[in-house]
Amino acid sequence: GRVQQRKDGCLARWAAGQVSLPESRFAPEELNQYLDRPMVLGVRCEDVRIGQGDCLARLELEENIGSDSYLHLQAAGQNLIAKIPAQQPIPDPEKLSFSLDREKIHLFDKESGRAVSIK
């Protein structure tokens, strides 16, 4: 993905969608160093929100491990894993909407592997 500047802040664009980057997590002067450079967006599986948002994925595999389920998703050629409560229904496994918790996103410079500092 890439970090891009907008009038109201910075935005991370990636293959499956985009997410605005909150100033409460990333300092604008830090993000400005990475504008339009190749980046890797990281998020923990519990910070992927299923059934919310305008990103779409296809469910490849569901692993039920008791109280939780791990959903292996394919979104615009990208693999990701979401952790949900086992009892949470999965609406449409072919067109599963999801979003990422903006306050939990991590960004890494693709070339150096360096993490973008967070506040």
Side-chain angles (χ1 to χ4, degrees):
R2 294 189 182 275
V3 175
Q4 297 179 331
Q5 182 69 45
R6 295 187 318 182
K7 290 179 186 177
D8 58 343
C10 287
L11 177 79
R13 289 190 182 276
W14 58 298
Q18 62 187 27
V19 62
S20 59
L21 300 172
E23 287 188 20
S24 59
R25 183 153 180 86
F26 299 102
E29 57 275 6
E30 177 73 12
L31 287 175
N32 288 339
Q33 299 176 51
Y34 297 99
L35 292 177
D36 293 316
R37 291 181 58 180
M39 302 294 289
V40 174
L41 185 141
V43 64
R44 287 184 162 70
C45 59
E46 59 269 14
D47 299 323
V48 178
R49 306 286 182 241
I50 298 299
Q52 307 172 24
D54 54 4
C55 296
L56 292 177
R58 182 178 69 243
L59 178 63
E60 298 286 319
L61 173 69
E62 179 180 2
E63 288 183 275
N64 188 311
I65 58 163
S67 63
D68 295 313
S69 289
Y70 288 94
L71 307 181
H72 296 255
L73 307 173
Q74 177 77 229
Q78 302 289 313
N79 295 318
L80 67 145
I81 299 174
K83 178 181 172 186
I84 63 170
Q87 68 275 11
Q88 181 176 333
I90 300 170
D92 182 353
E94 289 297 314
K95 294 180 183 172
L96 198 57
S97 66
F98 72 95
S99 63
L100 307 176
D101 185 335
R102 301 173 343 113
E103 295 292 334
K104 304 289 178 78
I105 289 173
H106 299 274
L107 292 171
F108 304 89
D109 182 281
K110 189 170 185 170
E111 294 171 9
S112 70
R114 181 178 175 265
V116 176
S117 298
I118 56 176
K119 290 183 174 180

